[in-house]
C-alpha cells in the first residue's frame, strides 16, 4: 500500500532507436576498410608502372579474357585511373592511409573527434599537393592528376603564375601554423642550431654535452666465494603466485527510489562523458599539460659534478683475509663442539657475510650466544650474527673488512638500477652487503626516520637522499622543506631556493632554523594537506598520482582551483632539539601529517642523533615504518629506532641498517662530500628559476582566546556570508572559510574572531575546531537582527 502524501516518481524517458553500429559490426566494417586500403595502396603504386599497358583495357572491364598488368588486375587499373589520372595524381596515395586509419578506429571501437580531424586535414593535403604538383610538373600531368592540372589552368587564367605561386605559399604557411604550430621563432632557432653545429665541426675534439649522464660500468653482481669454488651466479628469485580477483554478488531488494537513482546515475555518466570529450579535444589540439614547460630548458645535474671516491674498479678481494677469517670461525665453533657442514663468503664494500650451515642437531641459540667469542677470535669491531638469515636455511656472520671500500655517490647515481628506476621519488642509499645498488621509493615508504650517533654518517645520509631526488626530478615535480636547527648542515641548499624549496609567505630564508617558524610551517603543511584532500575529493580520485594524471589529461578545470601538485618532502635534521624546545606543538602536527599526508604527496624525513623514547614516541614510530639506523651507542637505542638489536654493532662511517617494517638490510651509505653538494647546487642555481620559492599556505598561530569586542561597523564585508557557511557546516575553523570563500588565512582568522565576539562560535580549543553556538540559519537571522535593533 502506497504511503500518503508521497508523490509518484517520474519515469525515465524511453530512448529512441539507436543508429550506432554494434561492436561486432564495427569490427567487421573496420576490417573491411583496412583491407580495402591495402588494396588501394598496391593498385595506386602499381599504376605508375603499368598505366600505359592497361590504357586499352579500361573499356574492356566486362571481358573476362582480358587481363591487366596492375597488381589488382582490372579492378586496380580502373580504380587507379579514376583516382590517379582523373583525380588528384600522386596525392591520391593519402586516401589509402585515411581509409586504413578509419578502419583501425572502428576496429578498436574508439570514440572522439580525432577521426574527423584526420579526414579534414587529409583532404586539405590532397588538394594542396595536387595543385602544387600540377603547378611545378606541367609536362607530367600524372603527378598532379586532372584535378591539379585543371585547377592550375583555371587559377592562372585569373591570377597568372605568380598569383598561383603566392596562393600555394599561403596554403603552406596555413598548414604549418595550424597543424604543426610553426612560429618564426622556430625558424630562427633552427638556423641558430644549424650554425652552432657547423661551427662545432671545426673544433679539434668532439666533447660530450653537459646535460648527458654517462652510465659508468658497475659491478652490481654479488661476489660469493665458497670454501673450494668461486661463484658469481645468483639463482633467480621465484615469482609469487598471482591470485585473480573475484567478484561477490549480494542480492538487494528493489526500492521505489531505484528509477530516480538510475536517472541520477545516467545524468552523472553523461556529464562525465561530456567532460571526457572536451578533455580529449583539448589534448588533441594542445597535447597533455606539461608542468615542466615553465622551466623547459632546465638541465639536470651532470654525473661529472660527483667525485669517484675510492677504487674505480670496485671491490678488491683479499683472499688471505677471507681464508684466515673462515678458519677462525670454524675453529671457534669447533671449540664449543659445533660442527659446520658448509661455509661461504659474500664480499661487500665494507662487510663480508660468512654464511654457515651447521650440522644436524645444533641449536641456533647456541651459535647466537657465541657472538662475543667469535669477535674476540677475529679481533674485529662490529661482529653481527643473523640467526637465521630470513628466507635462507643458513646463519650469517657479518665481519668488517680490514680495508673498507668507499661507496661513492657517483657510482650509485650512474648505476642502471637508479637510472632506469620507474619510481615516483627514487632514492639511492648506497650498496648492500652483496655489492648491489640499493634504490627505494620514498613515495611508498611513505615517511622515514633516521637516527645515529654524532659523526656516524647521518648528515651524509640526508645529503644522499636529497641528491638522489635532485638528479631524478624536475623542479616542477618536487619541493623540499628543510629544517636545520643546527644552522650549518642544510644551508648548502640555499642556492636552489627558487628551484626546489618551499617556504611560508613573506619568509626571508627558505632554510628554517627558528623553532617558532618550524611550528608555523608544520601547521601550514597541515592546511596544505587539507586543501589537497579537498582537491582530490572534487576530482574524485584517491591519490596524488591519479590527480596529476587527470590534470595532465586536461580533465580538471583550473578555474575551479585545480592545479598540478608537486610532491613535498619535509626534511628535519635534528628532531630531538625541536622536541625539547617545542614539545607537543611540534609532535601533534607531525603525527597528523604522518597519518594522513601519504595520499596527497607530502612525505617526512626526520633525523636525530638521540633516539630515546621521549623523542621518538610511540605515535611517531607507528607512522614511520621506514627506519634507518647508523651506529648508536647502546642496545636500547638500537631497539628504540629499529625494534631490534644490531645498530650498536655497526662500524660507523656510513655503515647502516635499513628496515621498512619487515627484514633488516645492512647497507653502506653512499658518500657525497660537501664540495660535491656545493657544485650540484651551484649548477642548478645558475639556471633560470621560478620568480619565487614555492609558497605554502599562510598560517598565523591562534591564541587561547581573543576577548576582543568588535563593533558591528568594523565587521568584515563577508561577515554575514562567513557566518552562514559556519552555521550550515557546523564547523568553526578558519581553513573552512579559506576553502569556501577563497580567502587568505589572515582575513579568515579575523572573521573567526569577529564570529566569536558575536557569539556565533566558541573560544579557541587547541587543535579542535571551534564549537558552533548557533544551531541553524533561522537562529542566526534572529541573532543578527537583534544586534541591529
Amino acid at each position: 500500500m502506497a504511503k500518503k502524501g508521497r508523490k509518484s516518481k517520474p519515469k525515465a524517458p524511453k530512448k529512441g532507436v539507436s543508429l550506432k553500429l554494434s561492436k561486432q559490426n564495427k569490427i567487421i566494417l573496420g576490417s573491411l576498410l583496412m583491407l580495402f586500403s591495402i588494396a588501394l595502396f598496391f593498385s595506386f603504386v602499381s599504376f605508375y608502372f603499368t598505366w600505359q599497358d592497361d590504357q586499352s583495357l579500361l573499356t574492356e572491364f566486362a571481358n573476362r579474357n582480358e587481363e591487366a598488368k596492375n597488381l589488382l588486375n582490372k579492378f586496380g587499373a580502373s580504380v587507379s585511373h579514376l583516382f590517379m589520372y582523373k583525380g588528384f595524381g600522386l596525392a591520391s596515395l593519402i586516401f589509402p592511409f585515411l581509409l586504413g586509419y578509419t578502419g583501425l578506429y572502428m576496429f578498436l571501437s574508439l570514440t572522439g573527434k580525432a577521426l574527423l580531424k584526420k579526414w579534414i586535414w587529409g583532404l586539405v593535403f590532397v588538394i594542396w599537393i595536387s595543385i602544387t604538383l600540377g603547378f611545378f610538373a606541367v609536362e607530367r600531368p600524372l603527378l598532379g592528376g586532372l584535378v591539379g592540372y585543371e585547377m592550375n589552368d583555371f587559377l592562372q587564367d585569373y591570377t597568372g603564375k605568380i598569383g598561383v605561386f603566392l596562393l600555394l605559399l599561403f596554403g603552406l604557411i596555413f598548414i604549418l601554423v595550424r597543424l604543426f604550430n610553426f612560429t618564426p621563432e622556430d625558424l630562427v632557432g633552427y638556423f641558430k642550431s644549424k650554425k652552432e653545429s657547423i661551427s662545432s665541426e671545426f673544433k679539434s675534439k668532439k666533447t660530450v654535452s653537459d646535460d648527458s649522464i654517462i652510465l659508468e660500468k658497475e659491478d652490481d653482481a654479488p661476489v660469493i666465494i665458497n670454501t673450494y669454488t668461486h661463484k658469481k651466479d645468483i639463482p633467480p628469485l621465484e615469482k609469487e603466485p598471482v591470485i585473480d580477483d573475484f567478484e561477490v554478488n549480494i542480492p538487494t531488494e528493489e526500492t521505489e527510489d531505484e528509477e530516480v537513482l538510475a536517472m541520477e546515475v545516467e545524468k552523472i555518466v553523461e556529464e562525465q562523458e561530456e567532460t571526457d570529450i572536451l578533455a580529449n579535444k583539448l589534448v588533441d589540439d594542445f597535447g597533455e599539460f606539461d608542468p615542466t614547460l615553465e622551466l623547459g630548458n632546465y638541465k639536470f645535474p651532470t654525473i661529472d659534478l660527483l667525485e669517484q671516491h675510492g677504487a674505480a674498479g670496485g671491490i678488491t678481494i683479499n683472499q688471505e683475509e677471507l681464508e684466515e677469517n673462515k678458519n677462525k670461525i670454524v675453529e671457534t665453533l669447533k671449540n664449543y663442539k659445533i660442527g659446520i657442514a658448509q661455509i661461504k663468503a659474500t664480499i661487500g664494500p665494507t662487510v663480508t657475510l660468512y654464511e654457515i650451515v651447521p650440522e644436524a642437531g645444533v641449536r641456533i641459540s647456541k651459535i647466537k650466544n657465541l657472538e662475543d667469542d667469535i669477535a674476540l677470535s677475529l679481533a674485529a669491531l662490529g661482529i653481527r650474527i643473523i640467526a637465521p638469515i630470513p628466507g635462507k636455511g643458513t646463519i650469517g656472520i657479518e665481519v668488517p673488512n680490514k680495508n673498507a671500500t668507499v661507496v661513492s655517490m657517483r657510482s650509485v647515481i650512474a648505476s642502471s638500477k637508479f637510472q632506469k628506476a620507474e619510481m615516483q621519488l627514487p632514492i639511492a642509499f648506497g650498496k648492500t652487503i652483496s655489492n648491489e645498488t640499493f634504490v627505494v621509493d620514498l613515495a611508498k615508504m611513505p615517511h622515514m626516520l633516521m637516527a645515529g650517533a654524532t659523526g656516524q654518517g647521518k648528515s651524509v645520509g640526508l645529503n644522499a637522499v636529497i641528491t638522489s631526488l635532485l638528479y631524478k626530478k624536475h623542479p616542477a615535480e618536487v619541493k623540499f622543506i628543510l629544517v636545520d636547527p643546527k644552522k650549518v648542515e642544510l644551508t648548502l641548499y640555499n642556492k636552489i631556493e627558487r628551484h626546489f624549496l618551499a617556504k611560508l609567505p613573506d619568509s626571508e630564508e627558505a632554510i628554517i632554523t627558528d623553532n617558532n617558524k618550524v611550528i608555523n610551517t608544520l601547521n601550514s603543511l597541515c592546511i596544505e594537506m587539507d586543501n589537497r584532500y579537498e582537491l582530490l575529493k572534487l576530482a574524485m580520485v584517491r591519490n596524488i598520482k591519479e590527480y596529476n594524471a587527470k590534470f595532465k589529461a586536461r580533465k580538471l578545470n583550473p578555474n575551479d582551483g585545480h592545479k598540478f601538485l608537486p610532491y613535498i618532502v619535509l626534511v628535519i635534521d635534528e628532531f630531538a632539539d625541536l622536541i625539547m624546545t617545542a614539545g607537543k606543538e611540534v609532535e601533534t602536527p607531525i603525527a597528523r601529517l604522518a597519518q594522513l599526508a601519504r595520499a596527497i604527496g607530502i612525505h617526512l624525513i626526520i633525523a636525530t642523533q638521540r633516539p630515546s623514547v621521549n623523542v621518538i614516541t610511540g605515535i611517531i614510530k607507528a607512522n614511520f615504518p621506514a627506519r634507518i639506523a647508523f651506529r648508536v651507542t647502546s642496545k636500547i637505542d638500537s631497539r628504540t629506532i629499529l625494534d631490534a638489536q644490531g645498530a650498536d654493532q655497526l662500524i660507523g662511517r656510513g655503515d647502516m641498517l635499513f628496515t621498512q617494517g619487515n627484514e633488516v638490510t645492512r647497507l653502506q651509505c653512499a658518500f657525497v662530500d660537501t664540495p660535491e653538494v656545493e657544485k650540484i647546487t651551484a649548477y642548478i642555481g645558475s639556471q633560470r628559476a621560478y620568480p619565487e620559492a614555492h609558497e605554502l599556505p599562510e598560517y598565523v598561530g591562534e591564541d587561547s582566546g581573543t576577548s576582543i569586542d568588535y563593533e558591528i561597523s568594523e565587521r568584515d564585508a563577508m561577515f554575514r556570508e562567513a557566518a552562514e557557511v559556519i552555521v550550515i557546516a557546523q564547523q568553526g575553523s578558519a581553513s573552512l572559510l579559506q576553502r569556501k570563500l577563497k580567502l587568505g588565512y589572515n582575513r579568515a582568522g579575523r572573521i573567526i574572531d569577529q564570529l566569536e565576539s558575536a557569539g556565533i562560535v566558541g573560544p579557541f580549543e587547541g587543535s579542535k575546531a571551534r564549537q558552533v553556538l548557533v544551531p541553524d540559519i533561522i537562529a542566526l537571522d534572529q541573532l543578527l537582527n537583534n544586534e541591529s535593533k
Side-chain angles (χ1 to χ4, degrees):
M1 186 174 179
K3 294 180 180 179
K4 291 183 179 180
R6 190 179 184 94
K7 294 182 180 180
S8 59
K9 306 297 180 185
K11 293 185 178 180
K14 294 183 179 179
K15 294 183 179 179
V17 179
S18 177
L19 298 177
K20 291 184 179 180
L21 294 173
S22 65
K23 187 175 182 180
Q24 291 86 352
N25 290 336
K26 284 184 178 180
I27 294 173
I28 294 171
L29 186 57
S31 303
L32 177 63
L33 288 176
M34 286 191 288
L35 295 174
F36 183 63
S37 67
I38 295 172
L40 283 183
F41 177 78
F42 282 110
S43 63
F44 288 176
V45 172
S46 177
F47 174 78
Y48 275 98
F49 301 97
T50 62
W51 69 275
Q52 292 178 331
D53 297 329
D54 293 340
Q55 280 290 312
S56 60
L57 299 177
L58 295 176
T59 58
E60 301 290 336
F61 188 84
N63 188 353
R64 297 180 60 184
N65 296 323
E66 296 292 340
E67 185 175 351
K69 291 188 177 181
N70 192 288
L71 290 177
L72 271 82
N73 210 327
K74 286 183 287 187
F75 168 79
S78 301
V79 173
S80 302
H81 181 76
L82 176 65
F83 278 90
M84 307 293 282
Y85 181 77
K86 291 187 175 181
F88 303 94
L90 197 62
S92 299
L93 284 170
I94 294 176
F95 286 111
F97 290 99
L98 290 174
L99 287 172
Y101 184 82
T102 305
L104 181 64
Y105 203 83
M106 299 184 71
F107 186 82
L108 299 176
S109 298
L110 300 176
T111 58
K113 297 183 179 179
L115 179 61
L116 179 61
K117 184 179 177 182
K118 293 285 189 304
W119 270 97
I120 291 173
W121 281 110
L123 293 176
V124 169
F125 268 106
V126 167
I127 295 171
W128 184 82
I129 293 173
S130 177
I131 297 175
T132 304
L133 291 176
F135 178 81
F136 289 104
V138 180
E139 297 179 357
R140 302 186 66 184
L142 279 179
L143 291 177
L146 194 59
V147 172
Y149 179 81
E150 293 292 343
M151 287 294 293
N152 269 282
D153 190 48
F154 174 78
L155 292 172
Q156 287 183 24
D157 286 343
Y158 290 94
T159 62
K161 284 193 173 184
I162 295 177
V164 174
F165 177 78
L166 294 176
L167 286 173
L168 292 174
L169 184 61
F170 172 74
L172 177 63
I173 294 172
F174 176 81
I175 292 171
L176 290 175
V177 172
R178 291 306 301 269
L179 188 59
F180 300 105
N181 297 322
F182 173 80
T183 60
E185 289 81 5
D186 296 334
L187 187 64
V188 174
Y190 172 78
F191 284 113
K192 273 187 177 181
S193 63
K194 282 293 181 185
K195 182 180 178 182
E196 291 174 359
S197 63
I198 293 172
S199 62
S200 64
E201 290 179 0
F202 292 95
K203 292 183 179 180
S204 59
K205 189 175 181 180
K206 188 177 180 181
T207 57
V208 182
S209 60
D210 289 339
D211 58 345
S212 62
I213 292 182
I214 303 172
L215 295 181
E216 297 187 351
K217 183 180 178 183
E218 81 168 337
D219 184 15
D220 262 356
V223 182
I224 302 173
I225 300 179
N226 281 335
T227 309
Y228 303 105
T229 59
H230 298 267
K231 288 187 178 180
K232 285 192 177 181
D233 296 326
I234 310 173
L237 297 174
E238 295 182 0
K239 293 183 179 178
E240 296 183 358
V242 179
I243 301 175
D244 293 331
D245 294 336
F246 62 94
E247 296 182 358
V248 179
N249 295 321
I250 303 176
T252 57
E253 297 181 1
E254 295 185 359
T255 64
E256 296 181 2
D257 296 334
E258 281 188 351
E259 292 183 358
V260 178
L261 180 62
M263 291 176 63
E264 291 177 354
V265 170
E266 186 176 353
K267 183 180 177 182
I268 293 172
V269 170
E270 288 176 356
E271 290 177 355
Q272 185 63 40
E273 286 179 352
E274 290 177 2
T275 303
D276 291 343
I277 290 171
L278 179 60
N280 291 334
K281 185 178 185 303
L282 289 172
V283 171
D284 289 339
D285 293 341
F286 304 103
E288 284 197 345
F289 173 77
D290 184 6
T292 66
L293 204 57
E294 189 173 351
L295 297 184
N297 295 325
Y298 174 79
K299 294 181 180 180
F300 287 85
T302 62
I303 199 69
D304 297 330
L305 299 173
L306 296 170
E307 299 293 334
Q308 182 66 60
H309 301 283
I315 296 174
T316 303
I317 301 174
N318 189 332
Q319 192 65 40
E320 293 181 2
E321 182 183 347
L322 287 173
E323 195 67 25
E324 182 182 355
N325 288 340
K326 182 203 73 172
N327 292 334
K328 287 181 178 178
I329 292 172
V330 172
E331 184 179 351
T332 303
L333 295 176
K334 187 177 180 181
N335 290 337
Y336 291 92
K337 298 181 181 179
I338 298 174
I340 297 175
Q342 184 184 351
I343 183 170
K344 67 177 180 180
T346 303
I347 305 170
T350 308
V351 177
T352 298
L353 172 66
Y354 294 89
E355 293 184 58
I356 62 174
V357 179
E359 291 181 348
V362 177
R363 298 179 65 180
I364 294 177
S365 59
K366 193 174 182 181
I367 299 177
K368 181 70 175 174
N369 293 334
L370 295 176
E371 192 170 66
D372 294 336
D373 298 279
I374 296 173
L376 179 63
S377 65
L378 294 173
L381 174 67
I383 297 294
R384 180 169 170 261
I385 294 181
I386 312 169
I389 297 177
K392 295 183 179 180
T394 58
I395 295 172
I397 302 175
E398 294 175 348
V399 181
N401 299 334
K402 290 181 179 178
N403 297 316
T405 303
V406 177
V407 176
S408 65
M409 196 69 201
R410 176 172 180 151
S411 65
V412 296
I413 292 292
S415 67
S416 59
K417 193 169 184 179
F418 178 76
Q419 292 294 327
K420 297 177 181 178
E422 297 293 333
M423 299 177 180
Q424 299 300 314
L425 297 173
I427 296 174
F429 274 120
K431 294 197 173 183
T432 65
I433 201 170
S434 56
N435 199 38
E436 296 177 1
T437 302
F438 189 80
V439 183
V440 291
D441 190 358
L442 178 61
K444 292 183 179 179
M445 287 187 184
H447 311 293
M448 187 166 61
L449 194 59
M450 187 182 294
T454 304
Q456 303 303 318
K458 192 170 70 284
S459 296
V460 175
L462 287 177
N463 286 332
V465 171
I466 299 173
T467 301
S468 299
L469 296 175
L470 293 180
Y471 266 91
K472 200 70 173 175
K473 307 305 289 185
H474 190 275
E477 298 173 317
V478 64
K479 301 294 178 183
F480 295 97
I481 300 174
L482 304 180
V483 178
D484 184 13
K486 291 188 286 188
K487 305 180 182 180
V488 293
E489 295 292 346
L490 300 177
T491 51
L492 299 170
Y493 299 100
N494 266 325
K495 297 177 184 176
I496 59 172
E497 174 182 332
R498 293 189 294 132
H499 290 88
F500 280 101
L501 300 190
K503 65 178 184 180
L504 291 172
D506 302 325
S507 181
E508 295 181 1
E509 296 183 357
I511 311 295
I512 305 167
T513 57
D514 184 8
N515 289 343
N516 291 328
K517 289 185 179 180
V518 175
I519 297 169
N520 291 343
T521 301
L522 293 175
N523 285 287
S524 172
L525 263 183
C526 290
I527 297 172
E528 174 74 12
M529 178 180 70
D530 293 336
N531 293 342
R532 288 190 172 198
Y533 268 116
E534 187 71 19
L535 291 176
L536 261 63
K537 184 183 77 173
L538 295 175
M540 292 185 290
V541 294
R542 297 177 301 170
N543 53 53
I544 187 175
K545 186 177 179 181
E546 295 177 4
Y547 178 88
N548 283 339
K550 204 168 183 178
F551 187 82
K552 286 180 180 179
R554 301 185 185 275
K555 294 182 179 179
L556 300 175
N557 192 345
N559 293 330
D560 296 335
H562 292 293
K563 57 185 177 180
F564 181 82
L565 300 179
Y567 285 91
I568 296 178
V569 180
L570 170 65
V571 180
I572 301 178
D573 186 30
E574 187 43 70
F575 186 61
D577 183 65
L578 293 179
I579 290 293
M580 285 189 295
T581 55
K584 290 290 182 182
E585 290 182 280
V586 167
E587 185 181 349
T588 301
I590 281 185
R592 187 162 181 261
L593 288 169
Q595 290 170 347
L596 300 173
R598 172 181 182 175
I600 42 84
I602 298 177
H603 302 279
L604 280 59
I605 300 175
I606 293 176
T608 181
Q609 53 181 262
R610 195 180 55 158
S612 54
V613 292
N614 61 332
V615 174
I616 304 176
T617 61
I619 295 176
I620 292 176
K621 284 183 65 175
N623 293 289
F624 283 77
R627 320 266 180 83
I628 289 178
F630 292 91
R631 188 169 185 267
V632 294
T633 55
S634 67
K635 293 182 179 180
I636 296 175
D637 289 346
S638 178
R639 289 195 190 98
T640 303
I641 182 68
L642 293 175
D643 295 326
Q645 295 184 17
D648 55 311
Q649 297 166 322
L650 299 174
I651 61 174
R653 297 178 60 85
D655 191 16
M656 58 180 259
L657 295 175
F658 173 83
T659 180
Q660 207 166 340
N662 38 33
E663 63 183 53
V664 179
T665 305
R666 190 166 186 174
L667 306 171
Q668 177 60 40
C669 183
F671 179 66
V672 52
D673 206 358
T674 301
E676 297 174 73
V677 178
E678 287 178 344
K679 285 193 286 185
I680 294 170
T681 54
Y683 181 86
I684 296 173
S686 63
Q687 301 183 51
R688 179 174 169 266
Y690 295 107
E692 296 291 338
H694 183 78
E695 282 198 356
L696 297 172
E698 189 176 8
Y699 174 81
V700 178
E702 295 184 352
D703 298 326
S704 58
T706 58
S707 66
I708 300 175
D709 291 330
Y710 286 89
E711 295 293 335
I712 296 178
S713 59
E714 296 177 355
R715 288 176 179 171
D716 193 278
M718 300 188 73
F719 174 83
R720 177 61 182 256
E721 191 175 353
E724 291 177 355
V725 170
I726 293 294
V727 171
I728 291 172
Q730 287 294 301
Q731 179 185 346
S733 67
S735 60
L736 177 66
L737 296 181
Q738 277 188 282
R739 295 195 302 271
K740 296 295 185 181
L741 304 180
K742 298 181 180 179
L743 304 176
Y745 193 82
N746 286 336
R747 186 177 180 186
R750 285 194 299 270
I751 294 177
I752 286 289
D753 293 339
Q754 294 169 8
L755 292 172
E756 179 187 351
S757 177
I760 297 173
V761 298
F764 176 67
E765 298 181 12
S767 60
K768 295 181 181 179
R770 294 172 184 255
Q771 183 182 359
V772 181
L773 305 177
V774 179
D776 50 38
I777 294 295
I778 297 174
L780 176 64
D781 291 336
Q782 292 176 350
L783 176 65
L784 297 180
N785 290 335
N786 291 334
E787 283 184 344
S788 60
K789 290 180 181 179

